[in-house]
Structure formats: C-alpha cells, structure tokens
Amino acid sequence: MDSATEAFVAHRNLLFTVAYEMLGSAADAEDVLQETWLRWVDVDLTTVREERAYLVRIVTRQALDRLRALGRRKESYVGPWLPEPLLTAPDVAEDVELAESVSMAMLLVLETLQPTERAVFVLREVFDLDYDEIAGAVDKSPAAVRQIAYRARAHVAARRPRGIASPAETRAALQAFQRAVETGELQSLLDVLAPDVVALSDGGGVRHALLRPVVGIDNVTRLLAVGWWKRDAERSTELVQINGGPGLLVRVNGEIDGVVAVRVENGYITGAYHVRNPEKLSRVERETAVSR
C-alpha cells in the first residue's frame, strides 16, 4: 500500500463522519469521499505537514459544495426531509459526544445552520480542530471562524435536546413505541409522549408518509390511533443501534420498511422520526463505522 492510500485508509472513517455530519446523507458522504480521494492522490505528500488536517480540509471543502447543492434539492423534496439513518456499532454509544453528534435529533438541529456555520460547528465542537485549521478548510480568517463558531454554538444550544438522554431512557421510550406498533396498545406510549411532541416522516414521495409535521400529543395520538402499522399483517419490529443510540427497525413481510428514531428529553419523547424513503434505508442492513 503506497503512503497516500495508507493515509486515506487510516482516516477514512473520520472523513466519512465529517462529511455525513455536514450532509446528513451517507450516499452524499460517500460521493464526497470519492472526490476527496481523487484530489488527495494528486497532492505532493512532501508538502503535507499533517495528513489528517489536510484530508479534513479537502473533505470539508467538497462537503460544503455538496451541501449547497443539497439545499437546492431539498427545496423540491416531497414532504419533510430527514437524515439518512445509519446502523452503528454498539461502542459508538460509549463516546457520548460522538453519539449525540450523529443522532437524528442533532442532525436535524444542524440542518438549521447555514453551510459554513455547520462546517465550523462540526469541525470545532465534534472534532476539536483549532481555529487555524478550520480557517483553512472554510476559506475564512481565524478571527472570522471564531465569530462563526460563537454564533453556531449559540444557535445549536438553543435548539439541541435539553439534557442528553441515556440509552436506557431512549430504549424504554422506543419499547413503548414498539408495543404500540405490535399490539395497538397505546397507553404505555402516551405515558412517555411530551405535550409538544412533533412527529415527522420521510417517504420521499415514493412511500406513504406524512407530508407535514404533526405537532402536539392530541394530534400524534390521533395519528397513532389510526395506526400506519394496521395496514400490513406481516409487520415486525426490532430494537437496533441507529445513529449512535437505540432505534426501531420496521420490517413488512420480512423486508425493511422503515426506521423509527426518537428525541427524548427529561424522559419524554419530544420528537419521533420515521424514515421510509427506500433510497435512505440501505445503511440499516449493515453497520457503518463512524469515528472522530
């Protein structure tokens, strides 16, 4: 293995994670990695002082270009757009900061940032790059990056889940969801729904899904009472690790039909995210490695 390939392979999982956290799409993150590789092999390695930082700079620039293009694509997306879920290894949950950063709830918060703000936040808060390194990646001065980081941090702090739920809390909430799906018994789920719970589903115009958010416990309860699960007799559910925490994998007639993830705050579900778009379900059949 030549030195360029060796360096790229050594940092590949980190580069994928950077791109994924910036884009919310594993497919687009893989495309960014391919573009990063093509640029990396043309680099004169004798001029590279720090391979990790150099690779992160390339992947960030490519992800920023892709992120701006994605913004235009999302404008014409049918219904709510949700991040592409990943089946992750159990040990990801042991790194609490990494697990939170790739969670569906946090990725949705990151969606509310401008592209450069998102890049700066991810590189600083998740990967702990210094301001000089980030400046090189986003083509800004270190002073400007500090200001962007401050704004992004305040923006995320106002919107991120209040207190990180433990895996046990999230698992208990999902088990209540699982019982509702499998038996139609709603009471245990109603007991853990927050009054202002928001339900989102993503079918991408391909599968039946909500075309707009459903807000409030009464409206979500009404939605659950007519149960999307009642349309299919051969429906099964399985608790798995999705995006660094517990998630629910739903199968119909043995085939993967969707993924349910939740946002839990103070023991109550404040967000329920149901991904059914088949283009976003390929990464829940095998583990995807994420790292920092």
Side-chain angles (χ1 to χ4, degrees):
M1 190 182 298
D2 62 78
S3 56
T5 304
E6 187 175 359
F8 188 85
V9 170
H11 298 296
R12 189 188 188 285
N13 291 344
L14 176 144
L15 299 175
F16 172 85
T17 309
V18 171
Y20 175 72
E21 291 197 18
M22 286 183 60
L23 299 167
S25 164
D28 286 294
E30 291 289 0
D31 287 344
V32 163
L33 254 64
Q34 180 64 25
E35 292 161 2
T36 299
W37 165 251
L38 293 175
R39 282 158 178 77
W40 174 243
V41 293
D42 285 337
V43 172
D44 179 359
L45 295 188
T46 63
T47 67
V48 176
R49 184 174 58 186
E50 223 301 354
E51 292 173 341
R52 178 182 183 271
Y54 199 103
L55 281 162
V56 168
R57 184 169 66 191
I58 298 175
V59 82
T60 300
R61 288 177 173 176
Q62 298 306 310
L64 275 171
D65 289 344
R66 183 62 62 99
L67 186 57
R68 293 179 180 114
L70 272 178
R72 294 188 291 273
R73 193 192 312 169
K74 290 172 188 174
E75 290 174 2
S76 59
Y77 197 79
V78 178
W81 184 95
L82 290 174
E84 183 177 352
L86 307 178
L87 183 69
T88 51
D91 60 359
V92 173
E94 296 172 9
D95 184 338
V96 176
E97 291 182 356
L98 176 62
E100 186 202 16
S101 72
V102 298
S103 69
M104 297 285 279
M106 178 54 75
L107 290 174
L108 283 172
V109 172
L110 295 181
E111 281 291 308
T112 64
L113 292 171
Q114 294 299 314
T116 301
E117 290 177 330
R118 185 167 183 170
V120 169
F121 181 87
V122 167
L123 295 178
R124 179 64 183 169
E125 300 299 315
V126 182
F127 297 95
D128 199 30
L129 268 65
D130 63 41
Y131 292 111
D132 288 340
E133 288 180 297
I134 299 171
V138 300
D139 291 325
K140 302 284 184 183
S141 70
V145 167
R146 285 180 182 274
Q147 288 298 315
I148 294 169
Y150 177 81
R151 291 198 308 269
R153 197 179 301 118
H155 182 98
V156 171
R159 293 163 176 79
R160 78 194 312 163
R162 297 180 292 275
I164 299 174
S166 69
E169 284 181 304
T170 304
R171 191 176 301 108
L174 278 164
Q175 286 172 335
F177 210 112
Q178 188 176 27
R179 285 193 294 274
V181 171
E182 292 181 345
T183 69
E185 190 275 305
L186 297 180
Q187 188 56 54
S188 60
L189 180 57
L190 297 180
D191 291 341
V192 295
L193 288 179
D196 57 351
V197 61
V198 178
L200 298 170
S201 64
D202 179 345
V206 180
R207 285 185 174 166
H208 178 77
L210 303 171
L211 292 179
R212 59 187 60 84
V214 174
V215 182
I217 191 169
D218 290 340
N219 291 327
V220 172
T221 300
R222 199 172 299 117
L223 174 69
L224 294 170
V226 299
W228 45 262
W229 58 86
K230 294 179 181 177
R231 292 194 302 273
D232 304 285
E234 297 300 320
R235 184 176 293 273
S236 62
T237 59
E238 177 188 1
L239 279 169
V240 293
Q241 287 292 117
I242 295 292
N243 287 63
L248 202 60
L249 188 62
V250 182
R251 287 186 172 88
V252 173
N253 299 324
E255 300 293 326
I256 292 175
D257 181 76
V259 168
V260 176
V262 293
R263 168 173 168 155
V264 177
E265 302 177 64
N266 301 319
Y268 291 93
I269 297 175
T270 58
Y273 315 118
H274 182 205
V275 180
R276 294 197 72 213
N277 184 346
E279 293 181 359
K280 295 185 177 182
L281 297 176
S282 64
R283 290 281 180 152
V284 296
E285 297 185 85
R286 64 186 189 281
E287 286 183 2
T288 296
V290 294
S291 67
R292 62 187 183 121

